[in-house]
Structure formats: C-alpha cells, structure tokens
C-alpha cells in the first residue's frame, strides 16, 4: 500500500456540525473514490514512483477522469467495466461490451486459455482481446472455464509500447493481490479496527498500519527469494509425499515473528513449533489443491 485518502460522503461534508465533530477542516472538499485515486497517483507521478500500469474495478473503470489522467501521464491501464460499457470498434461501429462477445468472439478459437499464479495454484481462464478504433485501446475479456461468466476490461496501452495479451492478463489479475493486501491489513494489522473517530487521527492510524504492513511484506518477499522450490504433484494419481516441506514465509507469519520481539507469552520453542506446523500444514494443503486441479484438467 502506497497511499491513503479517506472517503467522506458528500452529505457529511455538507453538514457543519458533523464536520466539526469529525475534525474535518474547511479546506477538505468532497472527492469521489476515482478522484481520490487520481490524487494518490498524482503524488506518485510527482515522486517518480508511479508504476507503468494501473488496474481497478468498475468503480474506477467507468471514471473518464481517471482514465484521462492515466493517458495524459503515459500510464497503461486495465480497468474493469460493466457489460453495458460502449466501445468504438471502428468508424461508425459502437458496441456494448457484452455484444462484442456475441458478435466478434462467437467462435471458440477466439479465446485463449491463460494461467496466472495464485496462492493455491494457477488460476486458469479463457481470455480474448479486441482492438478498437484507437490503436492504443483494447477490450479485454475474461471467461470462466466452467460457468462461462464473462468479465470485461477496458485497456490503454501507452504510445510507443507494444504488449502481448499475457501482459494485459497479468495487469488485470493484479487486483487479486490488491485484495490480499486489504485482507491482510484488516485481519492482521487492524486497518479497519481503529477506535478513533477524528479525521486526522484516522489518517494517522491508516499510515501507521500501512507502514507496519509494508515492513512485513518486504521481509516476506525477501524471504521468499531464498525459499526452496515448492514440492508439487506432477500427476493426478500421485500419492502425497511423506513430508511436503514448508511454504515460504507469509506476511502473517512474519508479523507473528516480529511480535516475539516485544511479547513472549510462551517460550520461543513453542512459537517456532507452531510456525513450522502452520507452514507445513499449508504446504500439504497446497499439494492436494494442485493434485485436484490436475485431476480436474484431466477429466474430459
């Protein structure tokens, strides 16, 4: 997590009594969630820390202001849009996103199956992309292999950049680790557990929480580099190994180890025992999850 802005509904900002009770200054004006995202990204552009790509759900995908900001600053994006989103596929040809599936992508060979790594194994979907009237914009569509449910994305590729389909797929799937960040922040670091009610105090709590999460996340990422390769099945009928090994240190596990610096309700041996037990249990669960996926893929 790199930035925080507190979303305050317009009706609360319009009420002087509620503003005063929340400690919100007169200079704070209403900003929608996409506008708050633009504020954070503008700070990153000014600091030269903005990544090359941006991903977001429909709340951000339908914001023309956010899309324009990205395009004006040379930032590529893959933003989720609704089925009713309209795109100009050619001069005089304007279609809804769901109509593109029925007309342009009606053939089975229009879709390509791609896999992106997940915490419990590869996530496999059918993907397709469609060029628009603009050489820098595309429609990216993701279809569930079993239910057939389709998700729609509007993409911008900055001028002078040529990207394959897999690049856009990876950017679209960045929303998964973003959700993981929020889950970890809430469940393990108290991102949404603050008891403060004042605007400034809440902002400070968010920054402190994000800093603690960042320390653990960077530590876990460095530990993962040194971790041995995972033990995984190669066939659907393979028997499980006697020892599945340990998964790499997770953010949650790193946090538990950091806690031992200041608090030791039990002995170090006790805490390390449970650390190894959790990581081995998760490694075993990962092995069986992979084998189930292999069996499912082998079923006609």
């Amino acid at each position: 997590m790199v930035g925080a802005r507190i979303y305050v509904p317009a009706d609360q900002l319009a009420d002087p009594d509620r503003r005063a009770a929340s400690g919100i200054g007169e200079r704070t004006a209403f900003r929608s969630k996409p506008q708050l995202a633009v504020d954070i990204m503008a700070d990153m552009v000014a600091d030269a820390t903005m990544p090359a790509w941006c991903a977001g759900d429909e709340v951000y995908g339908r914001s023309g202001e956010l899309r324009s900001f990205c395009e004006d600053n040379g930032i590529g994006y893959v933003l989720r849009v609704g089925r009713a989103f309209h795109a100009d596929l050619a001069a005089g040809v304007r279609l809804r996103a769901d109509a593109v599936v029925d007309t342009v992508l009606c053939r089975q060979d229009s879709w390509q199956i791609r896999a992106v790594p997940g915490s419990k194994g590869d996530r496999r979907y059918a993907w397709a992309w469609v060029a628009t009237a603009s050489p820098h914009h595309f429609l990216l569509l993701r279809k569930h292999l079993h239910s057939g449910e389709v998700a729609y994305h509007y993409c911008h590729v900055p001028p002078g950049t040529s990207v394959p389909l897999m690049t856009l797929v990876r950017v679209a799937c960045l929303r998964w680790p973003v959700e993981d960040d929020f889950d970890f922040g809430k469940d393990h670091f108290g991102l949404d557990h603050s008891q403060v009610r004042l605007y400034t105090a809440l902002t400070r709590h968010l920054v402190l929480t994000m800093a603690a999460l960042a320390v653990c996340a960077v530590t876990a990422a460095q530990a993962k580099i040194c971790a041995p390769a995972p033990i995984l099945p190669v066939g659907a009928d393979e028997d499980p190994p006697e020892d599945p090994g340990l998964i790499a240190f997770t953010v949650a596990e790193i946090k538990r180890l950091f806690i031992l610096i200041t608090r030791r309700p039990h002995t170090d041996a006790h805490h390390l025992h449970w650390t190894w037990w959790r990581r081995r249990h998760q490694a075993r669960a990962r092995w069986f999850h992979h084998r189930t996926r292999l069996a499912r893929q082998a079923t006609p």
Side-chain angles (χ1 to χ4, degrees), residues 103-116:
T103 57
V104 181
L105 302 174
C106 54
R107 295 175 50 183
Q108 187 65 30
D109 58 3
S110 301
W111 300 84
Q112 305 177 41
I113 296 178
R114 293 289 185 269
V116 176

Side-chain angles (χ1 to χ4, degrees), residues 40-201:
I40 294 176
M41 294 167 65
D43 288 345
M44 298 183 69
V45 170
D47 294 338
T49 57
M50 182 67 203
W53 292 93
C54 168
D57 58 23
E58 290 185 36
V59 172
Y60 305 96
R62 59 174 173 257
S63 171
E65 180 179 353
L66 186 146
R67 297 200 306 266
S68 296
F69 176 85
C70 291
E71 295 174 15
D72 293 342
N73 289 275
I75 304 169
Y77 61 71
V78 180
L79 299 173
R80 185 81 171 262
V81 294
R83 63 174 64 241
F85 182 84
H86 285 77
D88 297 316
L89 300 190
V93 180
R94 185 174 176 82
L95 293 178
R96 283 171 47 119
D98 54 359
V100 173
V101 178
D102 299 330
T103 57
V104 181
L105 302 174
C106 54
R107 295 175 50 183
Q108 187 65 30
D109 58 3
S110 301
W111 300 84
Q112 305 177 41
I113 296 178
R114 293 289 185 269
V116 176
S119 59
K120 295 183 179 179
D122 291 342
R123 304 189 187 196
R124 295 167 56 85
Y125 292 93
W127 297 83
W129 60 342
V130 178
T132 67
S134 165
H136 307 299
H137 293 86
F138 300 87
L139 273 177
L140 176 69
L141 303 103
R142 186 197 73 195
K143 183 165 63 174
H144 196 279
L145 295 180
H146 300 289
S147 66
E149 180 183 2
V150 179
Y152 311 91
H153 307 79
Y154 190 57
C155 311
H156 167 69
V157 178
T161 304
S162 178
V163 300
L165 170 64
M166 196 60 197
T167 297
L168 299 182
V169 169
R170 290 194 180 99
V171 177
C173 296
L174 286 176
R175 290 178 53 231
W176 294 330
V178 168
E179 292 299 326
D180 290 340
D181 284 345
F182 280 111
D183 288 340
F184 275 111
K186 294 176 180 179
D187 296 341
H188 299 280
F189 294 86
L191 182 64
D192 61 343
H193 297 165
S194 173
Q195 296 182 5
V196 300
R197 291 296 180 266
L198 297 180
Y199 185 84
T200 301

